[in-house]
C-alpha cells in the first residue's frame, strides 16, 4: 500500500463518508456491484477491523458516490484507503489486498 494524499478534518471526511471514523484508524473500501475482488476485500478488511481494536471498516459504493470517487482520484475497484484517527489518508492501494499487507499498512495510521 502506498502513501497517499488527501484526507481532511475528522468531521469533514466522516460527513463525506456518511459514517463515523474508527477511534484509531479507518479502512475505507471503494467497491462496485459486480466486482468479485471487492467481495474478497470486504472479507479481509472486516477480519482485520475485528482483530485490531479501534479500527473500523467502511465500504463505499463507487457508482453511488462518483463525487467522492472523483475528488479522491479512485480509478478502479476495489481501492482501499487507510485513514488515521484524524481522517487523513496515510496509505492507499488498488486491487485485492492481502491481510498481511493491510495489517502492515495500518502501522502508518496507528
Amino acid at each position: 500500500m502506498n502513501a497517499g494524499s488527501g484526507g481532511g478534518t475528522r468531521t469533514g471526511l466522516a460527513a463525506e463518508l456518511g459514517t463515523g471514523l474508527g477511534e484509531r484508524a479507518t479502512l475505507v473500501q471503494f467497491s462496485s456491484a459486480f466486482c468479485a475482488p471487492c467481495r474478497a476485500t470486504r472479507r479481509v478488511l472486516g477480519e482485520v477491523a475485528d482483530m485490531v481494536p479501534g479500527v473500523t471498516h467502511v465500504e463505499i459504493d463507487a457508482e453511488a458516490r462518483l463525487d467522492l470517487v472523483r475528488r479522491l482520484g479512485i480509478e478502479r475497484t476495489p481501492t482501499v484507503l487507510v485513514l488515521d484517527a484524524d481522517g487523513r489518508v496515510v496509505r492507499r492501494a488498488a486491487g485485492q489486498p492481502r491481510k498481511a499487507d493491510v495489517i502492515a499498512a495500518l502501522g502508518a495510521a496507528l
Side-chain angles (χ1 to χ4, degrees):
M1 294 189 122
N2 300 323
S5 61
T9 65
R10 183 176 176 92
T11 305
L13 190 53
E16 286 187 82
L17 295 176
T19 187
L21 299 179
E23 181 181 311
R24 298 176 64 203
T26 305
L27 301 169
V28 180
Q29 174 185 349
F30 285 86
S31 299
S32 52
F34 298 104
C35 167
C38 293
R39 290 189 288 277
T41 299
R42 178 184 311 120
R43 186 182 88 273
V44 167
L45 297 182
E47 289 173 2
V48 171
D50 289 343
M51 285 175 27
V52 183
V55 174
T56 299
H57 171 227
V58 176
E59 188 170 4
I60 304 291
D61 179 348
E63 296 169 51
R65 296 299 313 273
L66 289 176
D67 58 325
L68 193 55
V69 164
R70 288 182 183 116
R71 189 176 79 70
L72 294 174
I74 306 300
E75 297 179 0
R76 61 183 275 207
T77 58
T79 291
V80 177
L81 306 179
V82 179
L83 310 182
D84 66 11
D86 293 323
R88 289 185 299 262
V89 178
V90 295
R91 294 281 187 268
R92 75 183 285 149
Q96 182 180 333
R98 295 179 315 140
K99 187 185 289 189
D101 293 335
V102 175
I103 293 168
L106 274 174
L110 301 178

